[in-house]
């Protein structure tokens, strides 16, 4: 895609944050989630024992002996068993009082720090999405000192000191800052362009340059709804050549209940962290020996990617796209023509010399698709022309910005480009919206935030085509019936765009899909078609991605499902578990039959049945087929579903057909 927005690690804020206190159920079918692994084993063993004469008490005693093993897998199994609830938390955008509380808390914290550490120099202290932070030039802090700072903050809040706004001249502000020996405040003062200068005092004991807003008195803050969270290093002004500062992060809310809900949200987000689950479930890794930001898809993760790619290709072929495969490198001149070397060079790897010619690892796929378009003349009869590729690109990212699958140096974009006529823009955009909805629904996402970005001040293309393209985007969204926000002037210099963020199980929003109209590259590469009057015209080019990148989308999927993938997407769909080694031959037959029917089944052995069941639960396997002597005799399996509980004993053919039906409909069993 043409100079897409950089992959963002952080999620965007919205008017409210809806926090499910439990993991979501699988897609489509309303399902039950199992409780703890131990209770699951009791139910599975009780079911099997009751039907087959096995003593569950002795089996559980065996489990107790092995329960201290496999701590890595146990760490993944942090299931929540209470009834699901939702707590709606306000945000800075939805609550003016919350924004005032957070801004004031930053000042109260700075005051507390300087009372405890008089030599500390203050810099900036803004409110942020879930709280606030302040940067200090001081000796490194410890967690123990955070507690001291919080205690001092509580004391300041309890004194109910007034927040007093004062306006002073620039000279007066400079004089006061110099008297305090606060060099960073002097630098901040120089960056303030408006006069007069506003100062906020906390009582008559502490002040800072600030435009507000704040609460009236420190007592308006609920000290039980404030918590200091962490300490981090941060360069002044984000410049690594400038001093390293101590940044203290805090969170603040209107009530203690809101703080508790937020802390629960943080714990749930930690439980779902794709980096941890990626290791525990053996899905992917980033190997230091190979370099940072380069993803290794392990067999289980690769299976999920294979399923994702197959679905993506199927939907695109059905909707009239031609699939492409293009090289990972090209002559550097190609990127000069496209403009990437002028506008995007800092995110591109160094060029390589091949037989005295410079080559470049591709940061984007779009120039390649243009070259495919240019391979032959085109007539207006051929439009629209849609091409799509799962194209791997390489972008240079600083090591400090790398973050699991969310910010990497090599990733595969689900990239597509549409070449069309001006009067086809609306229909093509609507088609992309329909495809986007269809694909995202398959993965369980049905809540979106949509933004329409319009022409910026500096732009290429005539006014009339901008108006027509923007109207086409707007009309397509209106036809679709999606609500959206207008981002005035937020479009790219080469055309207007639609950005779509998906909402996950925790209410977080992730930038994935983008649709961009481009007037720039068709001109740069001089691509044309012959119209009905046999004249050469320039086509409209539409860039679009639905998933964004497979790596990042996989990370979102892991966190959305907490690694508990729905049956159709799960890397292993069923475990076949023998009660004893006597049933191994029959279990192999069952496993082979599952595989022959396209079901991802695995035979597990080498442990007692309770341990096999426990391991299956820990690995989040959707289905377990338990096989004992009676199952061998009757040609059946005893089935437990991770989502649906005990399903009883059934013939193998019924088990296979049930799984195939559920996979086809993307439902749970």
């Amino acid at each position: 895609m043409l100079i897409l927005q950089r992959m963002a690690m952080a999620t965007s804020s919205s008017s409210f944050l809806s926090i499910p206190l439990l993991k979501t159920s699988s897609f489509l079918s309303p399902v039950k989630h199992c409780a703890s692994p131990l209770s699951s084993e009791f139910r599975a063993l009780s079911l099997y024992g009751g039907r087959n004469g096995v003593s569950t008490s002795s089996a559980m005693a065996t489990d107790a002996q092995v329960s201290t093993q496999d701590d890595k897998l146990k760490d993944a199994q942090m299931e929540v068993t209470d009834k699901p609830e939702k707590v709606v938390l306000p945000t800075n955008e939805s609550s003016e009082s919350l924004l005032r509380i957070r801004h004031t808390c930053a000042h109260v914290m700075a005051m507390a720090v300087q009372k405890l550490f008089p030599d500390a120099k203050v810099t900036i202290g803004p409110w942020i999405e879930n709280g606030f932070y302040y940067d200090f030039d001081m000796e490194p802090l410890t967690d123990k000192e955070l507690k001291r700072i919080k205690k001092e903050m509580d004391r300041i809040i309890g004194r109910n000191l007034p927040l007093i706004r004062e306006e002073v001249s620039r000279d007066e502000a400079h004089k006061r800052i110099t008297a305090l020996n606060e060099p960073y405040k002097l630098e901040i003062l120089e960056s303030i362009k408006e006069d007069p200068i506003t100062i906020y005092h906390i009582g008559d004991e502490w002040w800072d340059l600030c435009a507000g807003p704040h609460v009236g008195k420190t007592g308006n803050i609920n000290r039980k709804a404030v918590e200091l969270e962490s300490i981090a290093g941060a360069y002044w002004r984000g410049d690594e050549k400038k001093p390293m500062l101590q940044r203290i992060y805090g969170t603040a809310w209107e009530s203690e209940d809101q703080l508790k809900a937020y802390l629960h949200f943080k714990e749930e987000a930690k439980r779902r962290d794709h980096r941890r689950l990626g290791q525990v479930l053996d899905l992917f890794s980033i190997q230091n020996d190979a370099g940072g930001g380069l993803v290794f898809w392990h067999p289980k993760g690769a299976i999920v990617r294979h399923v994702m790619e197959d679905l993506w290709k199927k939907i695109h072929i059905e909707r009239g796209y031609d699939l492409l495969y293009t090289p990972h490198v090209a002559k550097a001149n190609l990127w000069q023509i496209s403009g990437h070397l002028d506008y995007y060079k800092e995110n591109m790897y160094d060029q390589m010399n091949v037989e005295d010619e410079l080559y470049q690892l591709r940061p984007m796929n779009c120039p390649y698709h243009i070259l495919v378009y240019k391979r032959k003349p085109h007539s207006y009869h051929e439009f629209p022309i849609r091409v799509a590729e799962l194209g791997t690109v390489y972008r240079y990212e600083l090591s400090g910005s790398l973050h699991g699958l969310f910010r990497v140096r090599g990733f595969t974009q689900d990239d597509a480009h549409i070449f069309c006529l001006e009067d086809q823009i609306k229909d093509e955009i609507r088609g992309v919206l329909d495809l986007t909805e269809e694909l995202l629904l398959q993965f369980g996402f049905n809540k979106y935030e949509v933004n329409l970005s319009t022409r910026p001040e500096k732009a290429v293309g005539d006014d009339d085509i901008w108006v027509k393209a923007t109207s086409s985007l707007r009309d397509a969204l209106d036809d679709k019936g999606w609500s959206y926000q207008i981002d005035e002037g937020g479009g790219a210099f080469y055309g207007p765009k639609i950005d779509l963020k998906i909402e996950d199980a925790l209410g977080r929003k992730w930038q994935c899909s983008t649709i961009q109209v481009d007037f720039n590259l068709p001109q740069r590469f001089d691509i044309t078609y012959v119209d009905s009057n046999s004249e050469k015209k320039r086509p409209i080019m539409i860039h679009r991605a639905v998933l964004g990148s497979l790596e990042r989308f996989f990370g979102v999927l892991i966190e959305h499902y907490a690694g508990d993938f729905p049956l159709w997407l799960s890397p292993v769909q069923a475990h076949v578990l023998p009660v004893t080694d006597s049933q191994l031959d029959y279990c192999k037959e069952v496993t082979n039959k599952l595989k022959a029917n396209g079901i991802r089944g695995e035979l597990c052995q080498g442990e007692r049945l309770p341990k096999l069941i426990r391991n299956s639960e820990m690995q989040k396997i959707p289905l377990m087929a338990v096989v004992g002597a009676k199952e061998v005799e009757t040609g059946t399996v005893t089935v437990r579903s991770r989502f649906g509980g005990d399903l009883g004993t059934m013939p193998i053919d019924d088990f296979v057909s049930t799984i195939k039906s559920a996979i086809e409909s993307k439902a749970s069993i």
Side-chain angles (χ1 to χ4, degrees):
M1 300 292 293
L2 177 64
I3 311 183
L4 296 177
Q5 294 179 341
R6 294 164 63 94
M7 298 187 301
M9 286 193 308
T11 58
S12 63
S13 58
S14 57
S15 59
F16 64 88
L17 181 61
S18 179
I19 301 177
L21 299 187
L22 285 187
K23 61 185 178 181
T24 59
S25 60
S26 274
F27 182 55
L28 290 181
S29 177
V31 295
K32 297 185 295 181
H33 277 78
C34 60
S36 68
L38 195 59
S39 61
S40 300
E41 290 159 29
F42 268 120
R43 287 197 297 272
L45 287 168
S46 176
L47 170 72
Y48 182 78
R51 290 178 175 146
N52 299 279
V54 174
S55 169
T56 57
S57 60
S58 63
M60 292 314 299
T62 302
D63 179 62
Q65 295 171 7
V66 300
S67 62
T68 59
Q69 301 175 22
D70 289 340
D71 289 337
K72 187 177 180 183
L73 287 176
K74 289 180 185 179
D75 187 49
Q77 191 68 21
M78 299 167 57
E79 304 294 351
V80 184
T81 58
D82 296 330
K83 185 179 179 180
E85 296 178 2
K86 278 195 173 183
V87 175
V88 177
L89 292 178
T91 68
N92 297 327
E93 289 76 18
S94 67
S95 173
E96 172 74 13
S97 65
L98 179 61
L99 185 147
R100 290 174 179 271
I101 287 170
R102 288 173 172 171
H103 197 181
T104 307
C105 279
H107 285 253
V108 169
M109 181 175 71
M111 178 177 173
V113 167
Q114 290 198 308
K115 279 186 173 292
L116 295 173
F117 307 95
D119 292 334
K121 305 299 181 185
V122 298
T123 61
I124 57 171
W127 67 82
I128 53 178
E129 184 179 355
N130 292 314
F132 58 93
Y133 73 80
Y134 224 109
D135 287 347
F136 303 92
D137 190 348
M138 62 187 300
E139 292 298 315
L141 293 166
T142 65
D143 290 340
K144 182 179 179 180
E145 287 159 336
L146 271 191
K147 294 178 181 178
R148 290 181 60 204
I149 296 168
K150 176 58 167 64
K151 188 176 290 186
E152 181 63 27
M153 287 178 66
D154 290 346
R155 193 178 73 83
I156 294 169
I157 291 170
R159 291 173 63 194
N160 199 27
L161 298 172
L163 276 292
I164 303 167
R165 184 177 186 272
E166 181 186 11
E167 293 184 356
V168 298
S169 67
R170 187 173 295 273
D171 288 342
E172 176 63 19
H174 191 281
K175 177 181 176 182
R176 293 188 190 185
I177 295 170
T178 302
L180 288 177
N181 189 26
E182 290 279 12
Y184 296 98
K185 283 189 183 182
L186 282 177
E187 192 172 331
I188 293 169
L189 177 64
E190 291 174 2
S191 67
I192 298 174
K193 304 303 180 184
E194 299 81 11
D195 285 309
I197 304 301
T198 58
I199 289 174
Y200 271 87
H201 300 260
I202 299 180
D204 58 0
E205 301 176 29
W206 190 89
W207 62 269
D208 199 1
L209 299 170
C210 189
H214 295 285
V215 298
K217 296 182 177 181
T218 60
N220 297 141
I221 300 169
N222 183 342
R223 71 185 81 178
K224 293 184 178 180
V226 179
E227 184 168 294
L228 298 186
E229 297 185 283
S230 62
I231 307 164
Y235 290 109
W236 172 235
R237 299 296 196 190
D239 187 343
E240 60 186 13
K241 296 179 181 179
K242 293 184 177 180
M244 171 68 76
L245 307 175
Q246 295 292 296
R247 175 171 294 179
I248 302 177
Y249 284 101
T251 188
W253 299 90
E254 296 167 328
S255 69
E256 190 175 359
D257 286 343
Q258 288 180 5
L259 175 61
K260 288 179 179 178
Y262 167 72
L263 294 177
H264 179 93
F265 167 81
K266 278 187 64 180
E267 284 302 310
E268 181 64 8
K270 182 179 178 181
R271 183 178 78 86
R272 293 168 179 264
D273 191 311
H274 75 281
R275 295 166 297 180
R276 184 181 71 87
L277 289 172
Q279 292 183 34
V280 171
L281 300 177
D282 197 21
L283 300 171
F284 73 92
S285 64
I286 296 174
Q287 303 284 342
N288 289 332
D289 289 345
L294 302 173
V295 181
F296 287 73
W297 295 74
H298 299 179
K300 290 181 179 179
I303 282 291
V304 179
R305 174 168 175 160
H306 171 72
V307 174
M308 292 167 59
E309 289 185 353
D310 277 359
L311 176 63
W312 185 91
K313 291 174 183 176
K314 177 177 179 292
I315 289 176
H316 279 76
I317 290 172
E318 289 174 350
R319 290 186 172 268
Y321 285 80
D322 292 316
L323 302 186
L324 301 178
Y325 293 94
T326 58
H328 290 222
V329 297
K331 291 181 180 180
N333 185 57
L334 183 66
W335 310 105
Q336 189 71 60
I337 296 171
S338 70
H340 289 97
L341 282 174
D342 294 327
Y343 297 102
Y344 206 68
K345 187 174 183 179
E346 69 276 10
N347 294 106
M348 297 169 65
Y349 281 97
D350 289 341
Q351 297 169 4
M352 61 190 83
N353 190 304
V354 180
E355 296 181 346
D356 296 327
E357 285 193 284
L358 294 177
Y359 279 73
Q360 177 76 55
L361 278 172
R362 65 175 172 185
M364 308 284 180
N365 300 304
C366 35
Y368 288 49
H369 294 185
I370 291 175
L371 293 184
V372 173
Y373 176 92
K374 290 188 70 173
R375 76 191 187 278
K376 63 179 184 179
H378 294 279
S379 164
Y380 72 97
H381 292 295
E382 300 174 56
F383 291 101
I385 297 171
R386 309 182 189 102
V387 294
E389 177 181 13
L390 293 170
T392 301
V393 298
Y394 303 89
R395 299 181 187 172
Y396 174 68
E397 301 282 355
L398 294 173
S399 58
S401 68
L402 300 176
H403 181 79
L405 297 176
F406 293 159
R407 182 68 69 86
V408 293
R409 288 173 171 163
F411 57 94
T412 301
Q413 282 188 317
D414 71 317
D415 222 345
H417 294 91
I418 301 170
F419 302 93
C420 65
L421 310 179
E422 287 185 20
D423 59 5
Q424 294 174 332
I425 296 176
K426 175 188 170 182
D427 289 341
E428 289 306 303
I429 296 298
R430 175 58 195 268
V432 173
L433 296 178
D434 290 342
L435 183 152
T436 298
E437 181 178 44
E438 179 183 3
L439 190 56
L440 293 178
L441 276 173
Q442 302 277 351
F443 291 103
F445 298 107
N446 58 7
K447 293 182 179 179
Y448 321 120
E449 177 184 298
V450 183
N451 291 283
L452 170 59
S453 301
T454 61
R455 182 175 185 168
E457 285 188 22
K458 294 182 178 180
V460 299
D462 297 332
D463 290 346
D464 58 340
I465 189 60
W466 269 91
V467 170
K468 187 165 188 175
T470 305
S471 296
S472 296
L473 295 179
R474 192 193 307 265
D475 291 344
L477 285 169
D478 290 338
D479 282 355
K480 187 65 181 171
W482 284 354
S483 60
Y484 58 92
Q485 299 174 352
I486 302 292
D487 179 12
E488 294 290 352
F493 74 92
Y494 50 80
K497 62 177 182 172
I498 294 172
D499 289 319
L500 184 147
K501 299 173 184 176
I502 57 176
E503 183 177 314
D504 72 4
L506 292 185
R508 300 172 297 181
K509 293 185 171 66
W510 304 89
Q511 173 70 55
C512 285
S513 308
T514 186
I515 308 168
Q516 305 173 350
V517 180
D518 183 11
F519 315 128
N520 180 51
L521 284 188
Q523 181 176 346
R524 279 181 170 269
F525 282 91
D526 191 26
I527 61 174
T528 61
Y529 69 93
V530 176
D531 69 5
S532 57
N533 297 319
S534 299
E535 295 179 358
K536 283 190 175 182
K537 293 291 182 65
R538 212 172 295 288
I540 300 296
M541 185 176 181
I542 299 172
H543 306 255
R544 47 115 295 195
V546 178
L547 306 182
S549 87
L550 296 188
E551 286 77 4
R552 187 167 185 268
F553 190 76
F554 185 43
V556 173
L557 279 177
I558 293 172
E559 299 203 0
H560 178 61
Y561 288 111
D564 220 344
F565 296 111
L567 177 65
W568 72 276
L569 196 56
S570 182
V572 179
Q573 294 167 321
H575 269 177
V576 181
L577 311 178
V579 175
T580 69
D581 287 349
S582 301
Q583 292 87 45
L584 277 178
D585 287 342
Y586 178 78
C587 286
K588 290 176 182 177
E589 292 178 19
V590 173
T591 305
N592 289 337
K593 189 156 192 175
L594 292 174
K595 292 181 177 179
N597 282 273
I599 298 166
R600 298 186 288 278
E602 282 187 359
L603 168 60
C604 299
Q605 57 181 309
E607 303 282 358
R608 293 180 179 270
L609 180 60
K611 181 65 180 294
L612 295 178
I613 293 173
R614 185 176 185 82
N615 286 348
S616 295
E617 289 284 356
M618 297 295 187
Q619 295 171 36
K620 303 180 186 292
I621 306 300
L623 296 168
M624 288 179 280
V626 180
V627 174
K630 282 196 174 181
E631 283 79 11
V632 175
E633 181 182 339
T634 57
T636 59
V637 290
T638 297
V639 182
R640 170 165 179 78
S641 164
R642 180 167 172 78
F643 303 122
D646 300 325
L647 303 182
T649 301
M650 62 183 71
I652 299 174
D653 288 343
D654 290 354
F655 183 45
V656 169
S657 63
T658 299
I659 296 175
K660 290 178 70 174
S661 177
I663 292 172
E664 180 68 24
S665 61
K666 294 185 173 56
S668 295
I669 297 177

